[in-house]
């Protein structure tokens, strides 16, 4: 598998998620599609979307409720550049439009894809033993300290992990979930007292290789403000692939704020 093939697989998955075609992300013109539910989308997505905006850098693809499409189209028409649609102050008028439909901007994230040369060129090591873990091995690891590596709400999707052990003690864990048929998402955690030793990078890179050897494409997601996570992605051999911004119902957003 090479970088072009990796990108094509990601584009196809985004097309499933957005009810469009892969080439829609590569044209200059922005594209708009009604959001629909489909069993080909990433399994954790709650479809249909109220509004979801995706960019691979060439344009913006919007998938939204039918009654919102004209509002979003008008918003994007008045914003000069792609990046302005994903940052303040440009987001304020978008949020005002969404509120008329009982929604607000909720999630904003950057997604990373493996650079196939770097992933296999990088040879990191750490002072701890690495162990490949299958679902039966991490059934008892759904604990707060590993909540980024494993997802208790979607245990059925967690398929593979790599653990770092210090004399039998688990000190770092990278896990991946089979979020769709072709792509597995990586998450990683390291105990606070073991950080700044590049354990996360070693685990992420090793797990990415294991995923690729199984014929799947690893991908990595981070909030733009999570500098530590973004640095880990890049050190591990990943590069920026696409960005997404998702709106949710106002009640959903408020519940998140209150429970944080």
């Amino acid at each position: 598998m090479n970088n072009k093939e990796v990108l094509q697989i990601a584009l196809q998955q985004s097309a499933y998620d957005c009810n469009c075609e892969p080439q829609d992300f590569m044209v200059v013109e922005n594209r708009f599609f009604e959001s629909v539910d489909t069993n080909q989308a990433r399994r954790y997505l709650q479809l249909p979307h109220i509004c979801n905006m995706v960019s691979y850098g060439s344009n913006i693809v919007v998938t939204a409720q039918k009654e919102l499409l004209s509002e979003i189209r008008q918003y994007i028409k008045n914003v000069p550049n792609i990046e302005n649609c994903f940052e303040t102050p440009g987001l304020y008028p978008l949020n005002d439009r969404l509120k008329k439909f009982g929604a607000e901007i909720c999630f904003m994230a950057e997604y990373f894809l493996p650079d196939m040369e770097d992933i296999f060129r990088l040879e990191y090591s750490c002072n701890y033993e690495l162990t490949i873990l299958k679902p039966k091995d991490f059934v008892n690891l759904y604990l707060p300290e590993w909540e980024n590596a494993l997802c208790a709400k979607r245990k059925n999707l967690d398929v593979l992990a790599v653990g770092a052990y210090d004399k039998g003690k688990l000190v770092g864990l990278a896990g991946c979930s089979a979020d769709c048929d072709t792509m597995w998402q990586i998450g990683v955690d390291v105990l606070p007292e073991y950080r700044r030793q590049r354990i996360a990078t070693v685990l992420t890179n090793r797990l990415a290789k294991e995923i690729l050897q199984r014929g799947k494409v690893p991908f990595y997601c981070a909030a733009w403000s999570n500098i530590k996570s973004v640095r880990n992605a890049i050190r591990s051999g990943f590069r920026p692939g696409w960005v997404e911004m998702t709106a949710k119902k106002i009640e959903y957003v408020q519940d998140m704020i209150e429970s944080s």
Side-chain angles (χ1 to χ4, degrees):
M1 197 181 302
N2 57 38
N3 284 342
K4 184 176 180 180
E5 291 169 325
V6 166
L7 177 60
Q8 287 303 313
I9 290 171
L11 288 170
Q12 180 60 76
Q13 187 56 53
S14 290
Y16 290 143
D17 298 342
C18 295
N19 188 30
C20 65
E21 298 297 327
Q23 58 267 28
D24 287 314
F25 298 95
M26 296 289 102
V27 297
V28 175
E29 300 82 11
N30 299 316
R31 296 291 172 88
F32 303 84
F33 302 92
E34 181 179 359
S35 182
V36 299
D37 195 3
T38 170
N39 57 13
Q40 293 177 303
R42 279 174 284 164
R43 296 181 176 105
Y44 61 85
L45 295 181
Q46 296 176 337
L47 298 178
H49 283 298
I50 296 173
C51 175
N52 194 55
M53 295 168 54
V54 179
S55 179
Y56 277 77
S58 299
N59 70 346
I60 299 173
V61 171
V62 176
T63 179
Q65 293 178 355
K66 187 176 182 179
E67 61 270 22
L68 252 174
L69 286 174
S70 61
E71 289 276 355
I72 306 302
R73 188 189 300 270
Q74 188 61 41
Y75 160 72
I76 291 179
K77 180 181 178 181
N78 293 329
V79 180
N81 301 305
I82 293 172
E83 55 270 21
N84 297 132
C85 292
F86 291 87
E87 64 181 10
T88 56
L91 289 181
Y92 296 136
L94 172 60
N95 213 39
D96 289 341
R97 291 173 185 265
L98 289 170
K99 284 182 177 179
K100 294 188 295 184
F101 293 84
E104 289 181 326
I105 296 167
C106 185
F107 299 118
M108 300 169 65
E110 184 171 11
Y111 290 82
F112 297 80
L113 293 170
D115 182 303
M116 294 301 290
E117 292 184 5
D118 274 358
I119 283 288
F120 289 100
R121 177 183 61 82
L122 297 171
E123 290 291 343
Y124 290 116
S125 62
C126 64
N127 296 322
Y128 307 105
E129 178 185 357
L130 300 186
T131 302
I132 305 299
L133 304 174
K134 303 291 181 62
K136 63 181 177 62
D137 302 315
F138 51 73
V139 67
N140 295 320
L141 296 180
Y142 287 90
L143 304 169
E145 55 264 44
W146 312 122
E147 63 183 1
N148 291 310
L150 302 172
C151 182
K153 293 181 179 179
R154 299 187 296 272
K155 292 181 180 180
N156 61 305
L157 298 182
D158 292 334
V159 291
L160 191 67
V162 180
Y165 291 84
D166 182 8
K167 299 177 182 179
K169 175 185 177 181
L170 182 63
V171 300
L173 182 68
C176 64
S177 55
D179 291 339
C180 42
D181 292 340
T182 56
M183 302 177 71
W184 292 359
Q185 181 172 192
I186 293 177
V188 63
D189 289 293
V190 177
L191 296 181
E193 62 270 28
Y194 286 86
R195 292 172 186 170
R196 296 187 178 275
Q197 300 181 51
R198 285 205 169 179
I199 296 174
T201 300
V202 172
L203 292 172
T204 303
N205 179 262
R206 176 63 182 278
L207 183 55
K209 291 174 181 175
E210 294 288 336
I211 294 170
L212 287 163
Q213 288 169 2
R214 287 162 173 78
K216 308 296 182 181
V217 172
F219 71 105
Y220 187 107
C221 176
W224 296 321
S225 57
N226 193 342
I227 299 300
K228 291 185 294 184
S229 187
V230 171
R231 285 174 177 166
N232 179 59
I234 293 172
R235 283 197 301 259
S236 302
F238 286 79
R239 299 293 178 266
W242 75 96
V243 294
E244 290 195 29
M245 183 169 61
T246 307
K248 292 287 187 180
K249 290 186 178 297
I250 292 175
E251 296 81 8
Y252 182 99
V253 177
Q254 291 303 310
D255 285 343
M256 289 190 65
I257 293 172
E258 292 171 6
S259 60
S260 63

